[in-house]
Each structure stands twice: as C-alpha cells, then as structure tokens.
Amino acid sequence: MDDPTISVVIPAFRSGSLIKESINSVLSQTFQNFEIVIVDNNASLETRNVIQKMSILYPEKIRVIHEQKQGNGSARNLGIRESRGEYIALLDDDDLMYPQRLEKQLNAINQHPNAALVYCNLDCVSYDGQTIMEKNKVERPGSWSRYLFGDSQRFKNDPLVEPRPSVIFFRKIRAIEAGLFDERFNPFWVEETEFYLRIWGLGPFIVIPEPLVAYRLPSLEFLNKKRTGNTNWLMAKRNLNLFFTILLENYYCEGDNDIKKRFKKIQSQWLRELSLEVFRYHDGVRIGRGLLVRALQSNVMDLKNWKWYVRSFLPAQFLLKSLDCEKFASENLEEIAPSGTLDRLFQLPGDQ
C-alpha cells in the first residue's frame, strides 16, 4: 500500500466520546489520501473504548500508537515521527475539521513551497458543537513577539502568530528540522508557542483567511476532568519562565539597550500577570504587590501595572471583585509556592 500524502495526528487523553466526532470530521474530508495517527497518551478508559471501536471500523485509515510520557509535546512528537505522510495536520481530540481543510491547506503549501507552516482561521463553537460562539476568528501575534520583533520588516510582512494546534499544517521534514516540540514543557502550556518560534525561523507562515476548523470551547466540567491532577497555575508560569529563559538565551544582549528595553516590557507584563494569580490567595497580597513593584521597575510607563498596584491596597472584597473571584483560594499560597519560588521567575541578567 502506498504511503498517504497527509498524516492527521490526534493526541488522545480525556476527551471521551468527543473524539469520535473529531475522527468523523477527518473521515469526511474532500481530500481522502490521508491516515489518522491517534496517539494514546494515557487516555481515559472511555476515550480508549471509542478509539478502539473507530479503529476497528476504519482499519485502513486509523493507526493507534501509545506514548506513556504524559504531555502534548511528547504525544505530538511521537505522532509526527511515526507518521507515513509527507505532510502533517494536527488536530486536538475534541476539535472538528470542516470538510475542505486538508484539501485547501495542501493546495496552499504546494503554492508556497518555502512556507514553514500553513494555518487558517477558525470558528469557536459551544461544547456541544451546535452553536458558533465566535465566527471566523483570526489568529494574532502574542504581545511578547510584538515587543521583541514588532519593528522588524520580517514581522510586519509575516507576523509570528500562535495558532491553535488544530489549525496548523506543515511538512513532516520541516518540523523535524525545527526540532519538534520541546518536551520540557510537558504536560502542556507554552510548548506550542516555543515550537512556533523555532519553525518560524525556517520560513514564512501562510494563512488561509477562512475558518476550516471548529474549536470546541470546553465546559467547566470537561476542563476540570481533562486537567485534574495535571496542571495548576504555578506549572503554567514555570513553563512560561522556561520560555522566557529560552528567549534570553537566543536574543538578549547585555550591551544592547534597545533589546534590554524590549525584554523589560515582556518581563513587566508577565510579572503583572503572575501577581494576579497570587492575589487570589488570602496570604498573597504582600507577595503580589512585590511582584508588581518589580513590574513597575521594568516598565514604569505601563498603566496596567499602576492600576493593579493601586488595587492591591483595596479591601479584600473589592480586590476579589477586580479579579472576578467570589472568595480566596482555599489553600495558603505558601503551600503552593514556598517562599522565594516566585521571586526567581522572570529574572533578567543582573536582577537580584
């Protein structure tokens, strides 16, 4: 049997019956020379049962492989390495392709042979998949990349966007050349952003300006089920700090005042966002305010820093309202982040 042109890689975790809809959306594509590589990444029993039934029904289309190392990066990497197609289309296990996704993205990448990646717009749909909550959502660059690259002609012509994984399409060889996903970010958070930075260095991103994928907005119950025991805000911030360290290693120059100013803007924003997590704890006000002081030292002109610094002196009930919280977290901050843990995040060279 000839190898397929496209391999659709679907990491499977805790989507349950939703993965059946995702698989069916691939099977309904107008372009049919594909395989579906499902990566069982310690999937729940319900999810596994659905995968098994679908693979029995469509053995000529579906392959199931197993990755024990928990994480989006590990699962996607194994799926990409084991794929037989020249091209890779990623799809999360609860999202849906529209019928012409593969056909249009394959045409686009063939028309732009130097492209590192093709992506598209998306529709955000309700958890049950029946209602479009946001139509034709356009992907935008992150603020960090605007701070770092925004003045460059390359960025103006070809902005470094951070699409949902379910909309990206690329040559397998190009992803391998980029180094695949960095598994230090397991189980997830920021691994996609870091991958986009590296593959963007290999060529332009091409956008198809129409929705070819439906991104399913999770219900709170589903989100809790999917992430229970696998993540918390501190893990997310540690991953973001790892990415900050990678940026420093690749772009920071002590003698370049312009680049130092750019990094201070990134540092300031991420310190402020960290402080908002800390304020959710009844013993976090002092530490959160200290983080805001650091943010102000890095970028005193950012009015958002001043706004939150003033709010940090409000009575507890008003501060919680500003954070859109009804009450403080049940744990103590010290239990989540022992003394000194947060001070070590987002440090620039020379910071004390």
Side-chain angles (χ1 to χ4, degrees), residues 218-236:
S219 67
L220 184 59
E221 179 184 2
F222 174 70
L223 197 60
N224 288 336
K225 179 179 75 169
K226 190 170 184 177
R227 294 185 174 179
T228 296
N230 286 279
T231 187
N232 56 45
W233 65 266
L234 183 56
M235 184 198 76

Side-chain angles (χ1 to χ4, degrees), residues 315-334:
Q317 66 269 28
F318 294 109
L319 178 58
L320 286 172
K321 186 176 181 180
S322 297
L323 295 165
D324 199 25
C325 291
E326 294 183 358
K327 59 183 179 179
F328 286 116
S330 57
E331 310 95 336
N332 292 328
L333 179 63
E334 184 68 21

Side-chain angles (χ1 to χ4, degrees), residues 233 237 270-278 291 342 345:
W233 65 266
K237 296 305 181 183
W270 288 351
L271 284 170
R272 181 181 68 246
E273 292 171 353
L274 175 61
S275 76
L276 302 191
E277 297 289 353
V278 171
L291 293 168
L342 302 179
L345 298 180

Side-chain angles (χ1 to χ4, degrees), residues 128-324:
D128 62 9
Q130 299 303 305
T131 305
I132 296 178
M133 310 300 290
E134 183 176 358
K135 189 171 180 60
N136 199 23
K137 179 178 173 60
V138 177
E139 302 289 356
R140 305 293 186 186
S143 56
W144 69 269
S145 60
R146 295 196 304 271
Y147 291 146
L148 200 53
F149 306 120
D151 293 340
S152 71
Q153 196 59 48
R154 163 77 196 280
F155 189 88
K156 291 175 182 178
N157 295 336
D158 174 30
L160 173 51
V161 295
E162 301 171 40
R164 303 279 180 180
S166 290
V167 308
I168 66 172
F169 186 97
F170 48 83
R171 291 179 176 84
K172 175 180 177 178
I173 193 170
R174 191 60 62 87
I176 292 173
E177 183 183 353
L180 299 179
F181 290 88
D182 188 333
E183 297 180 12
R184 290 179 295 174
F185 291 95
N186 281 342
F188 55 88
W189 293 112
V190 197
E191 78 282 351
E192 296 141 8
T193 297
E194 195 274 339
F195 172 72
Y196 294 145
L197 174 63
R198 282 184 286 112
I199 201 167
W200 187 67
L202 300 181
F205 286 10
I206 304 300
V207 61
I208 299 174
E210 63 177 289
L212 299 175
V213 169
Y215 167 73
R216 192 189 303 269
L217 297 171
S219 67
L220 184 59
E221 179 184 2
F222 174 70
L223 197 60
N224 288 336
K225 179 179 75 169
K226 190 170 184 177
R227 294 185 174 179
T228 296
N230 286 279
T231 187
N232 56 45
W233 65 266
L234 183 56
M235 184 198 76
K237 296 305 181 183
R238 281 173 169 161
N239 277 9
L240 189 59
N241 183 67
L242 172 58
F243 181 59
F244 188 67
T245 302
I246 290 170
L247 292 177
L248 286 171
E249 291 171 351
N250 286 279
Y251 299 102
Y252 189 81
C253 179
E254 183 63 37
D256 188 331
N257 288 329
D258 178 64
I259 202 69
K260 289 173 71 173
K261 289 179 181 178
R262 294 173 187 273
F263 268 96
K264 281 182 177 293
K265 287 183 178 181
I266 299 171
Q267 179 193 43
S268 180
Q269 177 181 330
W270 288 351
L271 284 170
R272 181 181 68 246
E273 292 171 353
L274 175 61
S275 76
L276 302 191
E277 297 289 353
V278 171
F279 284 143
R280 299 175 190 275
Y281 295 82
H282 66 83
D283 58 340
V285 172
R286 180 185 59 81
I287 295 174
R289 192 178 295 142
L291 293 168
L292 284 173
V293 169
R294 288 179 58 199
L296 282 164
Q297 289 170 344
S298 293
N299 189 3
V300 72
M301 300 303 293
D302 191 329
L303 295 180
K304 291 181 180 179
N305 291 338
W306 285 108
K307 179 179 73 174
W308 282 104
Y309 183 73
V310 171
R311 284 179 175 176
S312 73
F313 290 94
L314 293 174
Q317 66 269 28
F318 294 109
L319 178 58
L320 286 172
K321 186 176 181 180
S322 297
L323 295 165
D324 199 25

